[in-house]
Amino acid sequence: VIETLNANGNAVSAKELAESATRPGVDLIVTLATPATQAVAKTPSDIPLLYAAVSDPDGAHVALPRSTGIQNVNSNIVKKALQTITNLYPKATRIGTIYNPLEENSIFVQGLIKNACDEMNLVLEQRTVSDPNQFPATVEQLRQQIDVLYCANDNLVNKGALSIARTSQALKLPFVIGELSAVSKGAVAGVGVEYSSMGQHLGELAAKILVRKPNEPLPPREAPPQSQFWLNIPVAKEIGLQVPQGMKPDKIIQ
């Protein structure tokens, strides 16, 4: 029996739903993304917690004795994204990024981006936002200072991807995102985890936890799966991107 609860990105709702799910008769709680996982982790319980799409379980304080899960980003994925950007735009030296400083996952990923940019001798311009209405102005302000806009693993950014994409296209600014599902909203490319296969694996882990023997430990926490490169062909044509020969996207958005 599976009960699905959706907080729609609202922290208060997430807390209420976490408390609702933490009750007798529930054998396992599965969470997606950092905010939902934090809400359940803060609710006292012995019910096993299985999470996915959490960037930094330790920093988010969800690495509990009763929890395990799958991360959705690490330094390798960020480095692959930046390498993809430099392959698409060999002359690019200035990278811009936008994130919500209230999200623990975003703070963690911003550290990965900064370290990777330093290693690759790329200049990084970071900007914070706390409201989706700030996206157009923030992108416009960044335009004169950067060659490519790269955003990754930020829930607020993912929700506002369409707004960011529209502004970027109008300014002929390449926009690359870590959320693959947002590529169809107007990003020219995406480099990140494909969540359908992750969801299937999460289901397999859930089944193992539900049938494990008493006192048997939970499966160990897992690193992110291999990332994919998705390319949005209409946007590439719109902003004049010529994809180098030899670059093979895992998926093409037509």
Side-chain angles (χ1 to χ4, degrees):
V1 176
I2 300 174
E3 180 182 0
T4 303
L5 305 171
N6 189 346
N8 292 310
N10 185 288
V12 175
S13 295
K15 181 178 183 297
E16 293 174 349
L17 293 177
E19 293 171 349
S20 172
T22 305
R23 64 180 189 272
V26 174
D27 300 306
L28 173 66
I29 299 177
V30 180
T31 57
L32 302 177
T34 300
T37 306
Q38 287 178 314
V40 173
K42 291 176 181 177
T43 305
S45 175
D46 294 325
I47 301 173
L49 167 60
L50 175 63
Y51 57 79
V54 174
S55 303
D56 181 20
D58 296 311
H61 305 292
V62 301
L64 309 174
R66 68 177 178 113
S67 72
T68 188
I70 310 172
Q71 291 180 252
N72 65 336
V73 68
N74 59 12
S75 59
N76 292 334
I77 292 177
V78 170
K79 289 177 182 178
K80 180 179 178 179
L82 290 172
Q83 188 61 62
T84 299
I85 289 172
T86 56
N87 289 341
L88 290 172
Y89 296 94
K91 295 182 179 180
T93 59
R94 304 171 301 167
I95 306 298
T97 186
I98 301 172
Y99 71 102
N100 178 8
L102 299 179
E103 294 185 32
E104 177 63 40
N105 48 292
S106 297
I107 296 173
F108 173 74
V109 173
Q110 286 298 310
L112 298 181
I113 296 174
K114 181 66 169 64
N115 290 339
C117 283
D118 288 345
E119 290 180 15
M120 299 173 67
N121 294 317
L122 297 170
V123 177
L124 179 65
E125 294 287 344
Q126 296 169 301
R127 297 293 185 274
T128 60
V129 293
S130 57
D131 188 293
N133 293 325
Q134 298 174 313
F135 286 135
T138 303
V139 174
E140 290 176 1
Q141 292 168 3
L142 274 171
R143 180 64 186 103
Q144 300 303 317
Q145 303 174 49
I146 63 175
D147 302 308
V148 178
L149 178 63
Y150 168 52
C151 301
N153 300 86
D154 185 283
N155 294 299
L156 188 66
V157 167
N158 292 341
K159 288 182 179 180
L162 180 60
S163 173
I164 297 173
R166 285 175 174 172
T167 306
S168 298
Q169 286 184 47
L171 298 171
K172 302 297 182 182
L173 172 67
F175 172 38
V176 178
I177 195 166
E179 173 61 49
L180 295 179
S181 65
V183 177
S184 61
K185 295 181 180 180
V188 69
V191 178
V193 171
E194 197 282 305
Y195 284 108
S196 294
S197 58
M198 177 186 278
Q200 181 174 341
H201 182 49
L202 190 71
E204 295 168 354
L205 289 175
K208 290 180 180 179
I209 293 173
L210 288 171
V211 300
R212 79 192 199 286
K213 298 177 181 178
N215 299 321
E216 182 179 348
L218 295 171
R221 183 172 80 196
E222 296 188 13
Q226 186 72 26
S227 62
Q228 294 188 11
F229 163 43
W230 290 15
L231 180 68
N232 189 320
I233 294 297
V235 175
K237 292 180 179 179
E238 174 70 22
I239 65 176
L241 170 63
Q242 296 292 327
V243 180
Q245 291 186 353
M247 286 195 73
K248 302 296 183 182
D250 295 284
K251 182 174 181 177
I252 291 177
I253 306 297
Q254 297 284 5

